[in-house]
Amino acid sequence: MQDSTRLTLLGRDPEAQQGFVNPPVFRGSTILFPTVEAMERAKAAREITYGRTGTPTSRALADSIAALEGGHGCILTASGKAACNLTLAALLRTGDHLLMVDAVYGPTRHFCDRTLARFGIETTYYDPRIGAGIAALFRPETRLVFMESPGSLTFEVQDVPAIAAAARARGITTAIDATWGTPLFFRPLALGVDISIQAVTKYIGGHSDLLMGAVAATEAVYPRLRAGIEEFGAPPSPEDCWLALRGLRTLAARLARHQESALAIARWLETRPEVSRVLHPALESHPDHALWKRDFTGACGLFGLVLDGYPEAAARAMADALELFGIGASWGGFESLVLVPDPTPVRTAVPWKAEGALLRLHIGLEDPEDLVRDLERGLARLRAAG
Ligand SMILES: *Cc1c(COP(=O)(O)O)cnc(C)c1O
């Protein structure tokens, strides 16, 4: 069955919900049992016995994402940042060594440098393009290799199967932030990774109206991960789970449009004299295009571009001039966004070097020709400012 069909069926059972198409929002803390023994049996069977560890609404979403990821199970968290950080906190202890990709999402990096360091866990940042060479960085106390592909802001694609195989050969667990690929275009667990993380906030939510994270894992890692994350007691709200399930229904249709528009706009930007490089893995010009083609089945609407010699001040003037692209954090919603990020402070293994300022675009569901006209207006402002 194709993914677009599965998305319409997963996580709902009309017969069990009085014929209604969608599962209802279960709100609640206490769950009642007829006898003490029944409650104990439910606990022993790891069924839901208290709202903090799940509701039928959150289970419907978690099971749907687990199915898409090909995981044994999935744990939901109150944000994407929590999904990354609680995974790290659940698996690491004082004295452990963590290998973290240098192009990781900035807030994940901050958690390593601030919180994990405070608990005596050492982080080594590695080149996103290290591939099987990761083995040279393994120490006896290395417990986890964390990946993110493509990299946040800079879009390097990692050789995920090579890194996962090297780690597995040494008994080291692997996790990846796979938000860019979405569970439709990228299946890290099938490539040998133990844990796949999604910021549900982005494309699964899809409407810039919720925050959530999801952590899917293989059978070998899932029980330990779930126990470790549940220890923190911070689940998402039932309403947000319901919204995310609603977002899931249209994920394939929305992504097809995001992909097509973003690729068309990326190709158009490649022809512009103001642009030095477009950082989009699905472009043949991208240095990691072959890896993307091997491991992904599609591309989302997020990419970067390096301007040809124009400084950050000119890039800011360009962003300010755009009318359809909002200036704001996050991505994956229906609307187009622009940022003028500087990766310099969040790169240590491979310092960021570029011919000009960097822009990050999220291509939304607007008409791509309207977006091109908006970008033309921005580029005119860029030339005037540069
Ligand atoms: C946005 C994002 C996150 C964090 O998600 P939030 O729900 O905003 O906390 C994590 N990883 C990546 C790659 C992201 O883009």
Side-chain angles (χ1 to χ4, degrees):
M1 194 187 290
Q2 294 297 314
D3 284 339
S4 51
T5 311
R6 290 172 82 202
L7 288 173
T8 68
L9 300 171
L10 284 168
R12 63 192 194 87
D13 180 5
E15 261 177 54
Q17 42 202 56
Q18 299 181 34
F20 281 83
V21 169
N22 291 295
V25 179
F26 279 88
R27 301 183 53 87
S29 49
T30 300
I31 296 161
L32 299 175
F33 294 87
T35 63
V36 174
E37 200 211 328
M39 185 170 176
E40 280 167 356
R41 253 190 286 120
K43 267 191 189 159
R46 304 280 298 146
E47 285 169 19
I48 300 172
T49 54
Y50 188 50
R52 192 175 60 219
T53 46
T55 64
T57 315
S58 67
R59 276 287 166 89
L61 175 63
D63 292 349
S64 300
I65 296 175
L68 290 170
E69 294 264 16
H72 178 71
C74 170
I75 309 127
L76 300 174
T77 59
S79 71
K81 178 170 163 70
C84 296
N85 298 353
L86 294 181
T87 295
L88 295 167
L91 298 178
L92 296 169
R93 66 170 74 184
T94 303
D96 284 351
H97 175 235
L98 164 68
L99 284 169
M100 174 58 75
V101 65
D102 202 31
V104 73
Y105 178 63
T108 305
R109 186 181 189 106
H110 295 150
F111 183 76
C112 299
D113 295 346
R114 296 168 188 166
T115 304
L116 292 185
R118 192 156 55 79
F119 287 102
I121 295 155
E122 192 189 336
T123 303
T124 300
Y125 293 97
Y126 65 88
D127 180 348
R129 297 191 166 108
I130 200 166
I134 191 91
L137 301 180
F138 292 161
R139 303 180 194 168
E141 65 275 20
T142 305
R143 288 286 169 276
L144 182 68
V145 177
F146 197 101
M147 297 170 261
E148 181 178 325
S149 183
S152 265
L153 307 180
T154 44
F155 300 93
E156 301 91 339
V157 181
Q158 296 194 255
D159 191 340
V160 171
I163 292 172
R168 194 160 282 190
R170 288 279 292 268
I172 299 169
T173 305
T174 51
I176 187 165
D177 185 333
T179 301
W180 188 91
T182 81
L184 293 194
F185 291 158
F186 188 41
R187 299 266 161 79
L189 301 185
L191 300 177
V193 182
D194 299 305
I195 299 161
S196 176
I197 299 172
Q198 285 288 326
V200 174
T201 308
K202 307 291 163 58
Y203 284 108
I204 296 176
H207 295 73
S208 306
D209 54 6
L210 67 89
L211 287 160
M212 199 187 300
V215 189
T218 58
E219 191 171 1
V221 179
Y222 179 73
R224 183 162 57 108
L225 190 66
R226 176 175 165 183
I229 292 179
E230 284 183 354
E231 192 68 17
F232 291 92
S237 81
E239 280 79 7
D240 285 348
C241 292
W242 186 87
L243 273 176
L245 257 179
R246 182 174 163 140
L248 208 56
R249 304 294 172 212
T250 56
L251 182 62
R254 286 184 287 110
L255 271 176
R257 169 82 171 187
H258 285 290
Q259 165 164 253
E260 190 186 347
S261 297
L263 201 52
I265 290 171
R267 289 198 196 287
W268 172 76
L269 283 165
E270 276 200 306
T271 68
R272 296 290 311 203
E274 301 90 342
V275 176
S276 169
R277 286 183 278 155
V278 179
L279 310 178
H280 189 313
L283 290 177
E284 295 75 9
S285 60
H286 190 281
D288 307 319
H289 179 66
L291 285 179
W292 172 80
K293 209 167 166 178
R294 186 190 68 187
D295 295 342
F296 289 73
T297 55
C300 71
L302 189 79
F303 63 92
L305 55 121
V306 176
L307 297 170
D308 192 6
Y310 292 91
E312 195 179 300
R316 286 168 177 242
M318 171 174 169
D320 290 348
L322 298 175
E323 289 173 6
L324 293 176
F325 287 81
I327 298 169
S330 205
W331 44 279
F334 54 83
E335 80 286 20
S336 288
L337 294 169
V338 61
L339 276 185
V340 187
D342 176 12
T344 313
V346 286
R347 293 292 184 278
T348 48
V350 189
W352 172 246
K353 285 195 213 82
E355 317 77 76
L358 175 70
L359 284 158
R360 192 188 75 176
L361 297 181
H362 176 251
I363 304 303
L365 300 178
E366 303 89 344
D367 186 281
E369 288 186 14
D370 286 335
L371 294 176
V372 164
R373 270 191 291 277
D374 202 27
L375 288 167
E376 277 173 341
R377 179 177 26 244
L379 289 169
R381 180 73 71 86
L382 176 80
R383 290 191 302 272

